[in-house]
């Protein structure tokens, strides 16, 4: 194998120095070839140099470039370089490369660590303000679009809404039921542990039913939907944007707002209350399983007690939040989908942001509503 | 030429998507150092044939040999490290969208352990210029390029490591005629200097007549192979229409007399 390794042999002849590259000057051996070329400069050189290419075992663009780069650098330093026994193939390849002078010094300068951090902080802060502004504009567009669709119901895409309802809603039921049951179980278990100390373990039922129905059911539903459906919406719209499908819609006279966004938002608004209701029931069943076994009460009694502790108002407080949360998740995820630009990486970034912003806004909205409803006494 | 000279040899290839048979016992030999054209109607299975050679789709029956190694699946191709012997230009370009043009071209070199970084960058730059792009494009992202530029970057990436075999899927489609002619020149020089074998799917009759030593026409799920001269006399209706239709006559008028 040693024959293949590229080498430059040197001979002195009178006051000239002859360089004789040998071996395979190909990309595979670039690592070996490159130091050979650098070694040329380490020597003390006479003013007249000869490159004898007669023994070159083989070459490709990388080899030709390496030799050419070396020769050029020598010429620039004022040496007289003569090339001998150059094969036709070498010459024609090297003339192809010849006019190209890689000028790659334009790589941006590195900033100091402190400057970088400061720049980053500034960018992120301004980014948040711009994001909020754009989101509000988008909210306005969706609202206007929805209102105009309501006045022209012919433009409402019913088939697409129904398909989305199946996707976002029906298909999400199993995971929501599973999560809600386990949350109900945990809540009942922990609540009972604490209340038993006061001999008030029977109030576990009140604890479970009120918290599940007012808060936990809808919150867990919103979080699951943001993670499951929000991310899917963002990725889908984002990839459509990359493939210019959005541009195609626009040129075909179809408004992406009406075709893609409003049906998704409407589907989410419609589906969320149903999912929240299912989650409530599942949470109560989960809590019930725990309570029935550990407090040793009958299922009938559990149901009666649940009925006594949940007020109509309390139930509606939970369910009423659902369409709002659905709208938030739908709008945020469509918004982020439309912000995707060009790269596959950007799909990833926007999808992450869609889920994070969705859950964040839902939580904020929930906190505000909680205070509001408590203050008006429901 | 004999079968021993063939760099790619396909015997009895059957490919199928569901019930749709794309190739039905197709035989093909591609010899070392030739420029081999593949033509055929849209949907005739040209891209699928290339994908089968590259191990990207499963083959149902038949054998494919590349550089003397049995291939037919990605595992076998990886085992023989054939990827470092070929470069591929996909029909749609298939550039990595989150990498710049320069990084895209350097990808195959990165794969080659121990290529010094500055050399890789300079070579990427040379390839970029070879395919007719400017320094300014080096730091652009694929989403900022026109369709023709994407093709050229993809070609530069396919050429990055001076492969022995170059697979091109419709390389000149979408290029302006001047660039297409420059592309033909480039292929001819590379073939002359680098001992390259080129397998190209193309509809460009000018390219075919200037470049291709032999041509395979994919019709009726088989390949009919011949030189341009011999195919001009072929009586198969599709082949006749292809070379003797209005466009064919315009492009090949010099040859027909
Ligand atoms: N991934 C795939 N799944 C199913 N069918 C495919 C797939 N890729 C190609 N085909 C079918 O195979 C046939 C040949 O396709 P292709 O080789 O891409 O055509 P062309 O000759 O225009 O390049 C077409 O009928 C196409 O519908
Ligand atoms: Mg194709």
């Amino acid at each position: 194998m040693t024959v293949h390794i590229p080498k430059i042999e040197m001979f002195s002849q009178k006051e000239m120095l002859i360089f004789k590259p040998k071996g395979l000057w190909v990309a595979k051996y670039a690592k070996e070839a490159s130091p050979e070329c650098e070694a040329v400069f380490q020597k003390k050189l006479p003013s007249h140099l000869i490159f004898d290419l007669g023994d070159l075992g083989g070459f490709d663009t990388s080899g030709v470039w390496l030799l050419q780069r070396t020769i050029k650098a020598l010429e620039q330093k004022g040496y007289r370089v003569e090339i001998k026994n150059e094969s036709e193939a070498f010459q024609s390849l090297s003339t192809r490369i010849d006019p190209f002078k890689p000028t790659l010094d334009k790589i941006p300068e590195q900033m100091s660590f402190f400057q970088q951090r400061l720049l980053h902080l500034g960018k992120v802060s301004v980014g948040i303000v711009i994001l909020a502004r754009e989101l509000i504009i988008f909210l306005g567009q969706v609202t206007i679009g929805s209102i105009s669709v309501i006045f022209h119901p012919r433009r409402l895409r019913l088939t697409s809404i129904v398909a989305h309802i199946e996707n976002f809603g029906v298909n999400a039921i199993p995971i929501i039921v599973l999560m809600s049951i386990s949350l109900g179980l945990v809540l009942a278990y922990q609540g009972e542990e604490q209340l038993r100390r006061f001999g008030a373990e029977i109030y576990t039922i009140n604890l479970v039913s009120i918290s599940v129905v007012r808060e936990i059911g809808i919150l867990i539903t919103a979080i699951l939907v943001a993670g499951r459906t929000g991310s899917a919406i963002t990725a889908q719209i984002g990839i459509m944007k990359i493939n210019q499908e959005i541009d195609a819609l626009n040129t075909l006279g179809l408004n992406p707002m009406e075709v893609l966004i409003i049906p998704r938002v409407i589907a989410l608004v419609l589906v969320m209350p149903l999912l929240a209701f299912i989650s409530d029931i599942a949470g109560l069943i989960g809590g019930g399983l725990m309570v029935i076994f550990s407090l040793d009460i009958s299922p009938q009694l559990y149901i009666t007690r649940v009925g006594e502790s949940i007020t109509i108002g309390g139930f509606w407080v939970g369910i009423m939040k659902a369409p709002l949360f659905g709208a938030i998740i739908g709008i945020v995820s469509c918004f982020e989908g439309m912000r995707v630009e060009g790269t596959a990486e950007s799909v990833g970034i926007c999808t992450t942001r869609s889920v994070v912003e969705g859950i964040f806004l839902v939580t904020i909205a929930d906190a505000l509503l909680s205070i509001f409803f408590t203050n008006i006494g429901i | 030429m004999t079968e021993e000279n063939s760099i790619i040899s396909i015997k009895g290839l059957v490919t199928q998507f569901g019930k749709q048979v794309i190739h039905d016992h197709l035989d093909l030999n591609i010899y070392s150092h030739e420029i081999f054209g593949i033509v055929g109607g849209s949907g005739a299975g040209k891209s699928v044939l290339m994908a089968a050679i590259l191990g990207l789709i499963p083959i149902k029956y038949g054998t494919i040999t590349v550089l003397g190694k049995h291939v037919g699946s990605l595992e076998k191709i990886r085992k023989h490290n054939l990827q470092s012997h070929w470069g591929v230009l996909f029909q749609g370009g298939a550039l990595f969208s989150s990498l710049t043009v320069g990084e895209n071209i350097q990808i195959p070199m990165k794969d080659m352990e121990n290529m010094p970084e500055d050399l890789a960058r300079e070579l990427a730059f040379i390839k970029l210029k070879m395919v007719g792009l400017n320094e300014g494009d080096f730091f652009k992202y694929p989403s900022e390029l026109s369709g023709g530029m994407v093709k050229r970057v993809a070609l530069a990436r396919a050429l990055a490591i001076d492969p022995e075999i170059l697979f091109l899927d419709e390389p000149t489609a979408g290029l302006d005629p001047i660039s297409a002619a420059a592309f033909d020149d480039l292929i001819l020089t590379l073939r002359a200097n680098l001992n390259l074998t080129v397998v190209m799917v193309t509809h460009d009759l000018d390219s075919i007549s200037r470049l291709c030593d032999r041509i395979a026409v994919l019709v009726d799920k088989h390949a009919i192979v011949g030189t341009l001269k011999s195919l001009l006399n072929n009586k198969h209706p599709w082949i006749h229409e292809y070379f003797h239709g209005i466009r064919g006559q315009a492009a090949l008028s010099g040859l027909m007399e």
Side-chain angles (χ1 to χ4, degrees):
Chain A
M1 285 307 278
T2 40
V3 232
H4 296 325
I5 304 285
K7 260 206 325 236
I8 300 184
E9 286 177 7
M10 299 183 211
F11 313 92
S12 282
Q13 197 178 65
K14 292 180 206 154
E15 59 271 19
M16 296 179 289
L17 190 62
I18 301 178
F19 294 107
K20 220 167 193 200
K22 291 189 166 178
L24 286 180
W25 287 69
V26 294
K28 205 162 113 191
Y29 297 120
K31 174 101 172 215
E32 287 79 11
S34 170
E36 286 290 311
C37 287
E38 273 149 35
V40 168
F41 298 96
Q42 319 274 294
K43 289 250 163 30
K44 204 169 155 4
L45 300 169
S47 66
H48 191 177
L49 306 171
I50 292 178
F51 270 82
D52 183 351
L53 304 179
D55 281 353
L56 214 51
F59 56 86
D60 63 9
T61 324
S62 72
V64 174
W65 170 245
L66 270 173
L67 289 170
Q68 207 182 347
R69 182 171 80 170
T70 316
I71 293 169
K72 280 228 163 96
L74 287 169
E75 278 173 345
Q76 241 170 25
K77 290 190 172 163
Y79 296 104
R80 204 178 122 216
V81 188
E82 204 179 311
I83 301 168
K84 265 193 181 167
N85 298 329
E86 189 180 18
S87 69
E88 210 174 296
F90 189 96
Q91 195 176 6
S92 99
L93 195 58
S94 100
T95 39
R96 269 214 159 262
I97 297 175
D98 192 45
F100 311 143
K101 286 189 220 78
T103 44
L104 292 168
D105 317 323
K106 281 186 259 162
I107 298 166
E109 283 171 45
Q110 284 287 310
M111 281 181 289
S112 77
F113 178 77
F114 180 70
Q115 271 177 317
Q116 268 181 10
R117 291 293 96 193
L118 200 62
L119 186 73
H120 184 68
L121 180 68
K123 271 189 180 158
V124 170
S125 320
V126 175
I128 289 175
V129 176
I130 293 176
L131 181 78
R133 197 186 108 111
E134 282 177 359
L135 188 55
I136 290 168
I137 293 175
F138 190 75
L139 177 67
Q141 287 169 341
V142 174
T143 314
I144 293 170
S146 310
I147 290 171
S148 91
V149 164
I150 288 166
F151 282 114
H152 304 89
R154 225 164 25 86
R155 303 214 311 252
L156 198 64
R157 314 218 151 224
L158 262 184
T159 354
S160 133
I161 292 178
V162 172
H164 291 320
I165 286 179
E166 174 170 2
N167 255 332
F168 304 165
V170 180
N171 296 346
I173 291 175
I175 183 69
I176 285 182
V177 167
L178 196 68
M179 291 290 289
S180 305
I181 287 183
S182 37
L183 265 175
L185 278 170
V186 170
L187 201 63
Y189 181 70
Q190 293 295 341
E192 195 215 314
E193 280 283 306
Q194 301 302 319
L195 291 173
R196 191 183 289 281
R197 299 186 196 173
F198 308 104
E201 59 262 35
I202 194 68
Y203 286 103
T204 310
I205 299 173
N206 299 51
L207 173 83
V208 169
S209 47
I210 290 174
S211 50
V212 162
V213 166
R214 274 186 88 112
E215 293 289 347
I216 307 239
I218 175 62
L219 260 185
I220 191 67
T221 307
I223 288 170
L224 278 172
V225 168
R228 183 185 178 278
T229 307
S231 58
I233 291 178
T234 307
Q236 194 192 358
I237 293 184
I239 295 197
M240 289 183 78
K241 199 151 172 246
I242 291 184
N243 286 341
Q244 290 193 307
E245 290 173 48
I246 306 275
D247 294 347
L249 283 178
N250 275 323
T251 52
L252 291 168
L254 295 166
N255 185 349
M257 183 61 77
E258 279 172 25
V259 179
L260 296 177
I261 295 168
I262 290 174
R264 285 177 170 72
V265 175
I266 290 182
L268 273 176
V269 168
L270 292 179
V271 117
M272 279 293 280
L274 303 175
L275 289 179
F277 181 71
I278 290 171
S279 166
D280 285 353
I281 302 292
L284 291 176
I285 290 174
L289 288 177
M290 180 57 69
V291 170
I292 288 165
F293 282 109
S294 60
L295 298 186
D296 200 19
I297 58 175
S298 72
Q300 284 84 351
L301 182 59
Y302 176 71
I303 292 171
T304 326
R305 294 290 310 238
V306 167
E308 283 164 7
S309 54
I310 302 173
T311 60
I312 295 293
F315 171 76
W316 281 112
V317 164
I319 295 296
M320 258 160 49
K321 291 190 273 194
L324 176 71
F325 291 177
I328 291 176
I329 293 168
I331 289 172
V332 166
S333 56
C334 290
F335 169 70
E336 286 296 342
M338 295 299 276
R339 295 211 321 161
V340 169
E341 292 291 346
T343 69
E345 197 183 1
S346 134
V347 178
I349 293 173
C350 288
T351 307
T352 308
R353 274 207 306 242
S354 149
V355 175
V356 172
E357 281 165 19
I359 293 176
F360 174 75
L361 290 177
V362 161
T363 317
I364 299 276
D366 188 54
L368 293 178
L369 286 176
S370 230
I371 297 170
F372 172 73
F373 283 128
T374 313
N375 275 343
I376 64 171
I378 301 178
Chain B
M1 297 233 202
T2 57
E3 266 187 33
E4 279 87 78
N5 291 10
S6 49
I7 198 162
I8 298 174
S9 122
I10 299 173
K11 283 206 196 74
L13 174 72
V14 178
T15 54
Q16 212 169 332
F17 287 111
K19 286 214 159 70
Q20 185 195 7
V21 178
I22 314 290
H23 305 113
D24 185 12
H25 293 92
L26 177 145
D27 298 310
L28 200 63
N29 278 304
I30 298 174
Y31 302 122
S32 181
H33 206 208
E34 74 176 339
I35 298 182
F36 190 86
I38 299 176
V39 301
S42 293
K46 306 179 293 290
S47 300
V48 172
L49 179 60
M50 238 171 75
I53 299 173
L54 298 172
L56 301 177
I57 57 154
I59 60 179
K60 185 105 185 178
Y61 302 107
T63 55
I64 302 179
T65 317
V66 178
L67 292 166
K69 310 276 185 351
H70 274 289
V71 295
S73 70
L74 270 183
E75 293 84 67
K76 287 185 199 157
I77 288 170
R78 288 212 185 93
K79 198 175 96 198
H80 298 301
N81 193 22
L82 280 171
Q83 281 111 335
S84 64
H85 294 273
W86 65 42
V88 184
L89 180 145
F90 286 98
Q91 195 167 3
L95 298 181
F96 299 110
S97 62
S98 43
L99 301 180
T100 63
V101 165
E103 288 165 340
N104 260 289
I105 304 175
Q106 285 173 65
I107 286 276
M109 306 186 212
K110 294 262 161 68
D111 185 44
M112 190 166 273
E113 82 270 28
N114 69 39
M115 164 87 75
E117 214 168 284
D118 60 329
L119 182 65
R121 194 141 32 83
E122 287 168 4
L123 283 175
F125 201 81
I126 287 170
K127 305 286 167 166
L128 186 76
K129 289 223 160 177
M130 268 191 180
V131 297
L133 294 171
N134 304 319
E135 345 185 330
D137 302 324
F138 199 80
F139 296 106
K140 282 188 180 159
Y141 283 92
S143 57
E144 300 163 350
L145 302 178
S146 76
M149 287 160 84
V150 167
K151 273 268 156 72
R152 290 164 187 233
V153 176
L155 177 65
R157 185 176 72 182
L159 289 171
I161 47 164
D162 291 337
E164 287 162 64
I165 313 173
L166 190 57
F167 291 96
L168 308 171
D169 198 348
E170 308 209 6
T172 50
L175 292 189
D176 61 274
I178 298 173
S179 308
F183 170 84
D184 293 348
D185 285 341
L186 177 65
I187 295 295
L188 285 172
T189 327
L190 290 174
R191 194 261 296 256
N193 302 330
L194 297 176
N195 213 13
L196 196 62
T197 307
V198 182
V199 181
M200 62 191 276
V201 173
T202 184
H203 290 299
D204 188 336
L205 284 157
D206 294 310
S207 282
I208 292 173
S209 67
R210 268 192 76 197
L211 298 182
C212 294
D213 302 309
R214 291 188 312 137
I215 299 156
V217 189
L218 292 194
V219 282
D220 312 330
K221 299 169 188 169
H222 293 281
I224 297 175
V225 184
T227 59
L228 182 56
K229 283 243 163 65
S230 73
L231 287 172
L232 284 175
N233 299 323
N234 197 299
K235 288 285 171 283
H236 188 285
W238 194 89
I239 301 178
H240 187 82
E241 178 63 23
Y242 185 79
F243 290 110
H244 297 272
I246 298 172
R247 281 162 163 259
Q249 294 208 317
L252 305 176
S253 53
L255 275 170
M256 303 261 200
E257 273 118 45

